[in-house]
Amino acid sequence: MARDLLTRFPVVATTELDVARERVADRYCPHGLSLARRGGRLDLVHNGTAVGRDVAVNYMAYGDEVRITPGRFTNFYLVQLPLRGRARVRCGSRELVADRHTAFVGSPEEPVDMRWSADCAKVVVYIRRSAVEELAAATDASDGHEKGSVVFDPTLSLDRPAVREWLQLLWLAIEQLEAGSGLLHTPLVATSYEQTLISALLAVQPNSAGTPASVDVPSRTVRAALALIEGDPARAWRIADLAAACGVSARTLQAAFHAELGTTPLAELRRIRMDAVRRDLLEADPLSTTVTTVASRWGFYHLGRFAQAYRDRFQELPSHTLAR
């Protein structure tokens, strides 16, 4: 049987239904929880931690077959990925079976009713509703209209290549946390990671936000955003904050970057920070500084990928730059 995950971050372990219901509600929302068979025995293990302001990763196993009826999530999205066992889920008018090949994506306004098998254990990713809607916003914040809720297709096929890349990003965080690294809990890294994870989910999983319409945004909007990033690259920039400073929505800003530069605000932010890493490495004392320290300072949380991206950009490894 697969081992429990995130044991450094225990939330609750209990055999009492009332305790389980109360403690899990503290992390998510009020919900119904009952054993699905007479004589069943609950054995809940729930571990988890926030990455930053908008994302938390969790491991959950109830130890017996249970029915969970949260109704609507209201303020958050949940991505549930079974590591073993399965869960039968009714989400709105849809029904699905979540297992090792299919995950479940729950959206705030879709009523949910779940039945977990006795052997079911899941990674559960909590994403704050406002963070998703800020990145998916189709209208400018200045137009006076309320942003609509984004509804994901609840069936997330884990065998799709693009989804496997999203899973690699998720497992990167879990591996860092499992190893006891505090890197993901630093503001710059946490913000960069959360923005990337949420943006990637919006890109790979069908949702009601759809594809942004073509926009006619002046080049000065892109220039203004770049000036803000270049002026304060150490700030824990969120795309919504950057867009608000430019007077447009997050989706409009991203569409403008794509039209103007063929890239994204996050990619440009990484490029500018990569330049800052190189500057710091060239100025650093190799006897008292490490590549890891400098890369982490600028929000690069996957050192292997960072080293490859650095080499692609500067035609040398960061360790060679530091040794100069």
Side-chain angles (χ1 to χ4, degrees):
M1 183 175 293
R3 65 183 178 88
D4 295 346
L5 298 179
L6 299 172
T7 55
R8 293 176 183 269
F9 308 96
V11 176
V12 60
T14 184
T15 59
E16 300 293 329
L17 270 173
D18 288 344
V19 174
R21 199 179 291 117
E22 178 181 348
R23 295 295 300 279
V24 173
D26 288 343
R27 302 283 288 204
Y28 301 107
C29 62
H31 61 284
L33 173 65
S34 59
L35 291 163
R37 61 185 183 87
R38 182 174 297 178
R41 183 180 184 278
L42 185 80
D43 189 11
L44 170 66
V45 174
H46 179 189
N47 304 322
T49 183
V51 173
R53 187 179 74 182
D54 299 320
V55 173
V57 291
N58 302 270
Y59 168 85
M60 300 184 71
Y62 282 92
D64 207 335
E65 187 174 357
V66 294
R67 184 181 180 192
I68 307 169
T69 51
R72 290 176 169 84
F73 296 148
T74 307
N75 295 322
F76 58 90
Y77 295 80
L78 280 189
V79 184
Q80 300 187 5
L81 301 105
L83 304 175
R84 59 180 184 266
R86 59 178 55 197
R88 295 187 178 277
V89 182
R90 175 181 286 275
C91 180
S93 61
R94 301 275 298 275
E95 291 188 4
L96 65 124
V97 175
D99 55 22
R100 291 292 300 275
H101 300 284
T102 303
F104 161 60
V105 184
S107 300
E109 298 303 328
E110 295 283 291
V112 174
D113 187 336
M114 300 178 285
R115 187 179 289 252
W116 294 31
S117 66
D119 60 341
C120 187
K122 294 184 180 182
V123 168
V124 180
V125 184
Y126 171 105
I127 306 175
R128 194 181 304 278
R129 175 176 181 169
S130 59
V132 173
E133 294 179 353
E134 284 171 354
L135 282 172
T139 58
D140 285 349
S142 59
D143 68 4
H145 293 114
E146 183 179 355
K147 299 171 185 176
S149 177
V150 177
V151 179
F152 284 96
D153 185 317
T155 303
L156 178 64
S157 174
L158 303 180
D159 296 325
R160 288 166 47 208
V163 175
R164 287 201 295 268
E165 293 180 7
W166 185 84
L167 287 174
Q168 289 174 0
L169 188 62
L170 172 62
W171 278 106
L172 168 63
I174 293 173
E175 289 166 2
Q176 291 273 338
L177 294 166
E178 288 267 270
S181 169
L183 185 60
L184 277 173
H185 287 145
T186 60
L188 195 65
V189 174
T191 301
S192 178
Y193 178 82
E194 288 180 318
Q195 294 279 280
T196 302
L197 187 77
I198 298 168
S199 295
L201 182 64
L202 284 163
V204 303
Q205 183 62 1
N207 61 80
S208 60
T211 303
S214 59
V215 293
D216 183 16
V217 179
S219 295
R220 64 175 178 271
T221 300
V222 175
R223 293 198 301 271
L226 288 173
L228 287 168
I229 295 171
E230 290 168 346
D232 193 3
R235 176 173 169 176
W237 284 108
R238 286 180 165 80
I239 299 303
D241 297 336
L242 191 62
C246 295
V248 298
S249 74
R251 290 188 85 209
T252 297
L253 183 65
Q254 293 187 95
F257 265 74
H258 179 74
E260 186 80 13
L261 303 176
T263 186
T264 67
L266 283 177
E268 284 300 291
L269 178 58
R270 285 192 292 269
R271 179 187 64 79
I272 290 166
R273 287 178 177 165
M274 187 77 74
D275 290 343
V277 169
R278 182 170 179 81
R279 182 198 64 222
D280 286 1
L281 289 174
L282 287 169
E283 295 175 354
D285 179 355
L287 297 179
S288 59
T289 304
T290 67
V291 170
T292 299
T293 299
V294 176
S296 301
R297 180 190 306 152
W298 287 103
F300 293 98
Y301 45 82
H302 190 297
L303 297 178
R305 291 181 182 176
F306 159 75
Q308 184 59 55
Y310 187 97
R311 185 174 187 173
D312 290 345
R313 180 165 173 75
F314 300 114
Q315 288 74 56
E316 68 177 3
L317 290 170
S319 57
H320 294 167
T321 304
L322 178 61
R324 285 187 177 186

